Amino acid sequence: MSQLAMTEPKTKEPRPGAHGAILVSGAGGEMGHTLLAMLAAQHHGTREIVALDLRALPSESAGHATAAYAGDVSDPAFIEDLALRHDISEVWHLAALLSTRGEKSPELALKVNVMGSANLLKLAADSAARRGSSVKFMFPSTIAVYGVPTLDAKRAAGRVTEDQCLEPITMYGVNKRAVEEMGRYYARHYRLLAADRMDCAVDFRSIRFPGIISADTVPTGGTSDYGPEMLHAAAQGKPYACFVRPDARIPFMTMPDAVRSLMELADAPRAQLTRLVYNVAAFAPSAAEIAEKVREFFPKAEITYAPTLERQKIVDSWPEDCDDSAARRDWGWKPEHGFHEAFAEYLVPKIKARYGA
Ligand code: AKB
């Protein structure tokens, strides 16, 4: 594996019939960390895996890639250069600034989240035209694309479907929603003549993720971070002041379930998919219920509440839960971890091993 900041571009002609390279942006982030390992395990060295992140990848992650680059997705020259070096046939575009970070630097969020996505969608369309076959574009979206105006409206909305309450209040939510529509535009208007039919050049597929809890990493810059932070603090014997009220409720899932859902959607036959963007759901506890579950496994956990106005407002605007019946019907989505299993079978054993708790 080579880990480079880009210098001289190299042209790589597509080999006819070859599978082409899988490009993963945001490969050093929380989801990228797990996804790279799972893609490497799935392909056993039979596919080129090109990892991209703003900073050099930790060696463990870089080891799962055949090439790794440090660079900015919002820099079109960098992305064009990458397209010259690798015959890219699949894009997993994870790079993004999350919701809390995005509210601190809205223009930077717009640049990275929207312009970065525009650059990679163009790369996918150009690559499809050159290869003469569709390029799959996997895009993690978020529950931040939803926006409920009041707590009463949130309770009344309950489990939202993909087409309800689409009035995001954060720049991050607005950005992700915009990219969903950009993906739809590319899927609809960029076509390839394949044998006797017209295929989409960019096979855009997206999942709106809830808050994600990983045993291996703690997120930064998100607003659902109180869930994972509470657990990781308890496992390290540290006190934790939760930045939302005890009654704040949004959906969550475990990282292995989240990454598996994206991989299952990628593998689903296109003809079975009735949508480009899907909800997935697993469990939807309040902050107090998460605290209670943490105390079940770490009885000495010190958890208090110190809600901050900005982050509380964001969580209040997100739905209590999501209706994932389309994903269950179209591609057989089913979470492995419910609320209790998430802690008992995955989070707590791994976290205890990690911190020696
Ligand atoms: C965030 O909190 O910004 C993310 C998300 C819910 O998309 N974790």
Side-chain angles (χ1 to χ4, degrees):
M1 191 283 321
S2 55
Q3 182 143 204
L4 323 161
M6 267 192 205
T7 47
E8 297 155 35
K10 290 194 203 105
T11 308
K12 189 155 187 166
E13 287 303 324
R15 285 174 288 133
H19 288 307
I22 302 174
L23 173 67
V24 180
S25 78
E30 261 219 302
M31 186 176 267
H33 171 87
T34 307
L35 178 70
L36 270 188
M38 287 176 77
L39 285 175
Q42 186 182 41
H43 296 293
H44 300 293
T46 59
R47 300 263 317 249
E48 208 186 336
I49 300 179
V50 179
L52 163 60
D53 203 88
L54 195 55
R55 287 176 212 90
L57 291 185
S59 55
E60 193 207 336
S61 293
H64 295 306
T66 48
Y69 295 95
D72 180 356
V73 285
S74 68
D75 173 359
F78 173 69
I79 297 300
E80 278 163 26
D81 198 7
L82 195 71
L84 290 175
R85 289 169 180 250
H86 298 278
D87 170 27
I88 294 162
S89 62
E90 217 171 285
V91 178
W92 298 65
H93 175 35
L94 314 182
L97 256 66
L98 299 184
S99 52
T100 293
R101 179 82 211 288
E103 288 313 280
K104 291 202 174 108
S105 315
E107 285 79 21
L108 180 64
L110 186 67
K111 180 167 168 271
V112 174
N113 297 351
V114 179
M115 292 319 297
S117 303
N119 290 338
L120 287 178
L121 281 164
K122 180 172 182 311
L123 174 152
D126 291 348
S127 201
R130 200 185 61 241
R131 294 177 59 80
S133 60
S134 292
V135 168
K136 209 172 271 175
F137 195 102
M138 301 306 300
F139 180 67
S141 187
T142 166
I143 54 163
V145 301
Y146 297 114
V148 283
T150 62
L151 281 176
D152 283 345
K154 174 165 170 154
R155 272 177 220 116
R159 301 176 74 221
V160 298
T161 67
E162 286 88 349
D163 303 315
Q164 288 178 299
C165 307
L166 291 167
E167 288 185 28
I169 70 161
T170 59
M171 179 54 110
Y172 169 68
V174 169
N175 295 165
K176 288 281 188 177
R177 182 79 189 102
V179 178
E180 291 178 1
E181 289 306 319
M182 285 154 62
R184 189 182 311 285
Y185 180 91
Y186 272 87
R188 184 175 287 158
H189 295 295
Y190 288 64
R191 314 295 287 182
L192 293 168
L193 182 60
D196 55 347
R197 58 175 203 279
M198 294 299 277
D199 269 354
C200 52
V202 180
D203 182 1
F204 182 85
R205 304 177 183 204
S206 176
I207 290 182
R208 289 184 185 150
F209 284 108
I212 299 177
I213 314 184
S214 168
D216 301 323
T217 48
V218 189
T220 46
T223 316
S224 59
D225 294 3
Y226 62 91
E229 282 175 2
M230 213 183 261
L231 174 64
H232 283 260
Q236 295 170 83
K238 293 181 183 165
Y240 183 68
C242 178
F243 57 77
V244 294
R245 293 186 315 266
D247 67 317
R249 186 183 298 279
I250 55 166
F252 281 94
M253 73 172 31
T254 62
M255 183 61 83
D257 267 347
V259 173
R260 184 173 53 81
S261 71
L262 211 51
M263 294 181 82
E264 286 179 1
L265 176 60
D267 287 344
R270 177 78 257 170
Q272 257 170 244
L273 305 180
T274 59
R275 317 184 52 90
L276 297 188
V277 180
Y278 287 91
N279 282 343
V280 287
F283 45 90
S286 66
E289 286 162 354
I290 301 178
E292 207 177 301
K293 188 59 76 186
V294 168
R295 285 196 199 98
E296 197 178 312
F297 294 96
F298 299 99
K300 291 187 185 148
E302 278 177 58
I303 301 166
T304 53
Y305 295 89
T308 65
L309 203 61
E310 299 79 15
R311 294 179 111 183
Q312 182 69 58
K313 195 171 80 185
I314 294 173
V315 167
D316 286 346
S317 79
W318 291 350
E320 288 190 346
D321 203 355
C322 292
D323 178 339
D324 62 354
S325 47
R328 288 176 185 257
R329 181 196 61 222
D330 287 1
W331 45 278
W333 158 246
K334 193 172 180 294
E336 189 185 326
H337 300 127
F339 187 35
H340 185 74
E341 299 80 55
F343 281 75
E345 292 168 16
Y346 162 63
L347 292 167
V348 173
K350 279 200 92 178
I351 279 184
K352 281 191 171 168
R354 175 178 173 178
Y355 296 118

